[in-house]
Every structure is written in C-alpha cells, then in structure tokens.
Amino acid sequence: VTEFDKIYSVHYTMCRKPWQCMAKGEAGGCKGKCLDTNVVNFDHCHEVVREWHKLRTEVEQELFKMTGDDSILDSQKGTYEHDIFMGHCNDDGND
C-alpha cells in the first residue's frame, strides 16, 4: 500500500466512487454492493475516500463564505459513517 502522503492521484474504481458512500467490505464484494476485500485494502480505501470528502467539505465551506447560501451546507447533514463521509451520506450505497 502506497503511503498516503506519496499519493498524487487516485483512481477510485476498486474503492468505489466517494459519493457512492460504500463503507462496508466483504470478500467477493457483495455483488457490487460493498468493497471487495479480496482486491482492495479496506482501510486504505477509507483513507482516500475520507480525504475526498475532506476536500469537498473545504470547497463547500469556501462557497458558503463567498455566497452565504445555507443550502450549500445541507449536503453535510448526513449521519452515515460521519468519520469517513463527513456528513455527505445518509446510508450505505448511492445515497
């Protein structure tokens, strides 16, 4: 596994796209409904997805500061696996 501070670009295919909110893993990948732990490092996937959500949160905060539009922050009210998805997800899967 590449150390996180040495990563410059991420292709999320096997870890799933960050907005798909997939936090569960199982050998075989649950027919596409969870991360396939046979082919990914589960913790590393969470680390890169967490970073994506961190960057998204930073962009949303800056947009809110510039516009004052409260609706920008509505996307941060999710409760699912907040430590990974930072409020952007309500459930596992494409929610």
Side-chain angles (χ1 to χ4, degrees):
V1 174
T2 304
E3 293 174 33
F4 194 76
D5 63 343
K6 292 185 171 61
I7 296 173
Y8 294 94
S9 178
V10 175
H11 184 73
Y12 287 97
T13 297
M14 298 311 292
C15 290
R16 304 298 185 178
K17 306 298 185 259
W19 52 90
Q20 289 180 310
C21 305
M22 291 200 177
K24 298 175 184 173
E26 184 178 302
C30 315
K31 298 181 181 177
K33 298 192 185 267
C34 69
L35 302 176
D36 184 350
T37 56
N38 286 333
V39 296
V40 300
N41 180 299
F42 190 68
D43 293 331
H44 193 64
C45 281
H46 282 179
E47 186 176 13
V48 296
V49 167
R50 183 181 303 110
E51 183 64 20
W52 186 91
H53 283 280
K54 178 182 167 196
L55 292 171
R56 175 180 168 177
T57 298
E58 290 172 6
V59 169
E60 290 168 342
Q61 294 293 336
E62 289 301 316
L63 283 172
F64 175 72
K65 285 182 199 173
M66 291 186 322
T67 66
D69 183 351
D70 290 330
S71 68
I72 292 168
L73 303 180
D74 287 346
S75 67
Q76 298 176 15
K77 294 179 179 178
T79 58
Y80 182 67
E81 298 290 343
H82 196 274
D83 62 316
I84 300 169
F85 304 119
M86 301 183 180
H88 297 126
C89 301
N90 291 311
D91 200 358
D92 200 72
N94 287 317
D95 183 21

